[in-house]
Amino acid sequence: MRILTGLQPSGGLTLGNYIGAIKQMVKYQDEYESFIFVADLHAITVPQNPEELRRNIKSLIAIYLASGLDKDKNTIFIQSENIYHSNMSWLLECLTPYGELGRMTQFKDKSLKHQNFGAGLLTYPVLMASDILLYDADFVPTGVDQKQHVELARNIAERVNKKYGDIFKLPEPLIPKDGAKICDLQDPTKKMSKSSENPKGVIYLLDTEDVIRKKIMSAVTDSDNEIKYDPDTKPGISNLINIYTSLSGMKVEEVVFKFKDSNYGTFKRIVADLVVETLIPIQKRYQEIINSPELDKILDAGRDKTLEIARRKYLELKDRMGLGR
Ligand code: ATP
Ligand code: LTN
């Protein structure tokens, strides 16, 4: 079985991205044939600074590797280095009803946030469908926010298969059942997000140990000083329990039982220790990888392998549609 997934290189990955996306990829590499990429073409659907974008692309690859993605178990590549993603996207755009794209919730949200946005913001999910369908992915690991896009990819595949014969495999989203949503430390009713306005509520994967500890120690909690899991009435402490649970591999009930007699200060310190213990080794490996020639070798191999696979799929649809000679 094959999976394919990617993140956008929009800078400053958070502990939420690590727990919700990267840690899952590391788990899946032992269960599936994995294609992992950097969605840089998706990133330009909103304005980007070119130097910053290039730095973020490389940085994301180094984060993948430093977090434990094994180059021998995954095909790792950069989306824009494979021309067939955008070529395929054009073919699929012409086969996708305009109205269907306007109904995507992400488009509705993002088009309100940005002024004078480009047409790419609307066609974004078709490019995502191309990413998925080019590789016959069985499953697409992703957050709930992307479920609608994976469903669109499946609809596109069904439609194309009906019209031109069996070309595409029908993909399914793979959403972790126990996957906790990590919340902002200053506003625990909100998702921890890299585009947050208040960096104090967000743990960035490359934050120093000192900064990580300070942010966790000043996380907003309630005043009853009782370690209990109740996201509705105790969102702050429940968020810290979620962080501890996700990083330790323990169950929520086990964590609550273990710390039932601790006060908030002690529990925060223990959560901070675990976050530091998790992130510092990743940061060390990141520093070793970011400027190593190994990185280029991995990306060259990923590009060459995916060009071969994607080319075949693209030519198949192009041919069946009657394009070219
Ligand atoms: P933005 O601020 O640009 O919306 P983001 O940090 O919210 O970005 P995305 O780039 O939308 O993150 O997320 C990539 C993937 O990371 C998501 O599909 C989801 O799986 C995961 N993810 C992001 N934030 C969290 C979070 N707070 N908790 C759990 N998973 C998360
Ligand atoms: N839209 C996704 C990134 C993404 C993706 C994909 C994920 C682009 N193409 C294909 C899975 C499969 C996001 O913003 N998280």
Side-chain angles (χ1 to χ4, degrees):
M1 288 285 196
R2 188 179 277 183
I3 60 165
L4 174 135
T5 192
L7 290 175
Q8 293 190 54
S10 32
L13 287 198
T14 72
L15 184 65
N17 297 126
Y18 175 72
I19 291 174
I22 299 176
K23 207 165 172 281
Q24 305 293 329
M25 296 175 189
V26 175
K27 189 179 101 190
Y28 293 138
Q29 69 183 352
D30 293 315
E31 299 167 36
Y32 299 101
E33 182 192 5
S34 303
F35 285 73
I36 306 292
F37 70 105
V38 171
D40 57 345
L41 292 172
H42 278 102
I44 59 165
T45 52
V46 297
Q48 298 286 344
N49 170 297
E51 286 86 40
E52 231 172 84
L53 178 60
R54 179 145 304 131
R55 258 200 315 276
N56 288 337
I57 293 169
K58 220 175 137 193
S59 173
L60 180 50
I61 296 284
I63 295 252
Y64 283 160
L65 296 166
S67 301
L69 284 184
D70 183 333
K71 69 174 173 46
D72 297 322
K73 292 183 185 165
N74 299 271
T75 302
I76 299 172
F77 67 106
I78 298 174
Q79 187 187 30
S80 69
E81 291 190 353
N82 187 322
I83 51 166
Y84 298 107
H85 288 245
S86 30
N87 284 10
M88 179 62 100
S89 193
W90 177 252
L91 304 189
L92 298 184
E93 271 172 45
C94 294
L95 299 168
T96 305
Y98 176 78
E100 211 167 321
L101 297 178
R103 286 194 291 274
M104 294 285 119
T105 40
Q106 182 180 292
F107 172 71
K108 287 199 255 177
D109 292 347
K110 287 203 179 177
S111 56
L112 287 176
K113 263 201 229 159
H114 297 275
Q115 277 171 342
N116 301 324
F117 53 85
L121 200 64
L122 178 75
T123 56
Y124 176 118
V126 185
L127 177 61
M128 183 161 161
S130 306
D131 301 335
I132 298 167
L133 301 178
L134 277 171
Y135 299 93
D136 284 328
D138 297 281
F139 297 108
V140 181
T142 176
V144 212
D145 58 320
Q146 297 296 318
K147 187 167 172 245
Q148 196 182 32
H149 291 163
V150 182
E151 281 160 359
L152 179 85
R154 193 182 168 91
N155 292 344
I156 292 176
E158 269 179 327
R159 219 163 20 230
V160 171
N161 286 351
K162 217 172 188 180
K163 195 158 178 191
Y164 296 106
D166 264 349
I167 298 178
F168 295 132
K169 196 162 225 179
L170 306 185
E172 276 181 47
L174 188 59
I175 299 167
K177 274 186 238 75
D178 52 352
K181 184 175 86 176
I182 305 304
C183 293
D184 189 285
L185 298 172
Q186 289 299 313
D187 178 358
T189 59
K190 252 183 32 194
K191 183 179 101 158
M192 183 183 284
S193 171
K194 56 173 121 69
S195 58
S196 161
E197 271 138 39
N198 182 4
K200 273 179 144 179
V202 181
I203 295 183
Y204 295 98
L205 296 188
L206 300 179
D207 274 348
T208 62
E209 171 167 354
D210 207 33
V211 169
I212 295 171
R213 290 191 184 279
K214 280 202 182 106
K215 285 179 178 174
I216 296 179
M217 293 313 288
S218 50
V220 169
T221 47
D222 53 74
S223 54
D224 43 88
N225 222 1
E226 193 189 352
I227 313 268
K228 247 174 69 183
Y229 189 75
D230 187 344
D232 292 332
T233 59
K234 294 166 76 74
I237 208 70
S238 301
N239 188 36
L240 294 176
I241 294 173
N242 275 335
I243 293 175
Y244 191 91
T245 302
S246 306
L247 296 181
S248 66
M250 286 167 71
K251 293 203 169 73
V252 168
E253 309 85 69
E254 291 168 345
V255 175
V256 172
F257 183 75
K258 184 167 176 190
F259 296 106
K260 66 181 178 353
D261 299 323
S262 306
N263 61 32
Y264 285 178
T266 311
F267 184 56
K268 282 180 174 175
R269 211 162 305 121
I270 289 168
V271 174
D273 285 344
L274 184 56
V275 173
V276 165
E277 241 171 68
T278 308
L279 295 189
I280 298 302
I282 292 178
Q283 294 181 3
K284 284 215 178 96
R285 284 195 293 275
Y286 174 89
Q287 292 308 339
E288 287 161 18
I289 293 166
I290 188 78
N291 289 314
S292 82
E294 177 75 0
L295 200 100
D296 279 322
K297 276 201 207 133
I298 294 170
L299 291 174
D300 288 351
R303 178 200 55 209
D304 294 346
K305 179 173 170 187
T306 59
L307 274 171
E308 204 35 52
I309 300 173
R311 181 173 159 274
R312 264 183 270 135
K313 194 58 96 179
Y314 168 72
L315 289 180
E316 195 180 349
L317 180 60
K318 174 178 175 263
D319 185 49
R320 299 236 196 145
M321 287 177 78
L323 293 160
R325 283 189 254 174

